[in-house]
Amino acid sequence: MPTIDTVLFDADGVIQQGTSDWRGTLSSFVEPAEAEEFILDLMASEAPTLTGKGDFREALAEVLQRWSSTGTLEEVLQLWHQFEADPVVVGWIQQLRAAGIGCHLATNQQTYRRAIMHDERRYGDWFDQTFYSCDLGLAKPDPAYFTAILTAVDRPGTSTLFIDDNEANIKGARDAGLHAELYDLSEGHEVLRDLLAKYGLTVV
């Protein structure tokens, strides 16, 4: 068993989850036949902003105009506010930190959502360090994203565990030399507890 002294946690799907049907809401802003392409266009417009390129609000406004959306910019932006952190997972992170395990947030976010998480909801209080892709200029699953974090925390990949709900991100982390495990909050807390225990990390 490897000796793990550092854990990187993804945000969406691992420590937090949405509180609304964002896909259904977005679909209601255009004609039903256009909904899927509209959502794909919106996601594609967000992609560059995840590494700090461009302004998310401006990119979103262009998509809404292009599709003659009935939703206003502010209405759509509200969907990026509709999420909540899981108190059990957050509590376990504090237990690990108290036991001397370095715990860091490793998430792909644009600056708009980063401000919600970090500035409004003070996610930084829960972690030793927070790594938002928009700040690093790199995004998962690029192995360089993980290498940059390892450099910042001054730890080797061999003693670092990364937890994420996306298979491509897991591969990127492993390619960078980290231990990485796939996990989604929908699987339940006990699955996460067992996953951590597999690496000698105990939470109660």
Side-chain angles (χ1 to χ4, degrees):
M1 179 186 297
T3 299
I4 297 297
D5 59 25
T6 306
V7 185
L8 309 182
F9 291 88
D10 174 44
D12 296 295
V14 175
I15 69 163
Q16 67 188 27
Q17 54 193 345
T19 56
S20 68
D21 178 14
W22 65 272
R23 183 175 288 275
T25 301
L26 286 175
S27 297
S28 72
F29 293 143
V30 294
E31 293 297 321
E34 300 176 331
E36 190 59 32
E37 287 189 43
F38 167 64
I39 293 173
L40 290 174
D41 192 15
L42 193 155
M43 295 298 107
S45 74
E46 183 184 32
T49 68
L50 295 177
T51 54
K53 299 178 179 68
D55 182 271
F56 175 63
R57 291 174 60 99
E58 292 177 2
L60 179 55
E62 290 176 6
V63 173
L64 298 181
Q65 182 177 27
R66 183 159 59 245
W67 288 88
S68 300
S69 169
T70 59
T72 67
L73 176 60
E74 292 306 318
E75 285 177 323
V76 177
L77 282 172
Q78 278 305 305
L79 294 174
W80 271 259
H81 291 259
Q82 295 172 7
F83 63 94
E84 62 183 18
D86 186 282
V88 173
V89 178
V90 172
W92 285 352
I93 291 169
Q94 306 322 304
Q95 289 182 30
L96 292 174
R97 293 178 69 197
I101 304 298
C103 294
H104 311 285
L105 181 66
T107 180
N108 282 355
Q109 304 291 343
Q110 21 80 0
T111 56
Y112 183 82
R113 194 126 182 275
R114 179 201 184 281
I116 299 168
M117 293 169 62
H118 198 77
D119 301 333
E120 294 180 15
R121 304 194 187 181
R122 302 185 63 82
Y123 273 41
D125 293 347
W126 303 339
F127 296 92
D128 294 293
Q129 293 190 61
T130 54
F131 297 97
Y132 295 89
S133 59
C134 59
D135 294 333
L136 290 178
L138 297 162
K140 299 177 287 187
D142 187 347
Y145 171 89
F146 301 99
T147 300
I149 293 177
L150 292 178
T151 299
V153 301
D154 193 24
R155 301 306 304 151
T158 52
S159 69
T160 303
L161 171 64
F162 170 63
I163 302 173
D164 198 287
D165 65 334
N166 183 291
E167 188 67 59
N169 295 342
I170 296 300
K171 182 180 185 302
R174 289 175 177 166
D175 287 347
L178 287 74
H179 301 278
E181 295 285 345
L182 193 67
Y183 170 73
D184 191 290
L185 269 170
S186 63
E187 300 175 72
H189 295 125
E190 292 309 308
V191 172
L192 178 58
R193 190 205 300 270
D194 291 345
L195 186 158
L196 292 169
K198 173 182 170 183
Y199 289 88
L201 304 172
T202 301
V203 293
V204 296

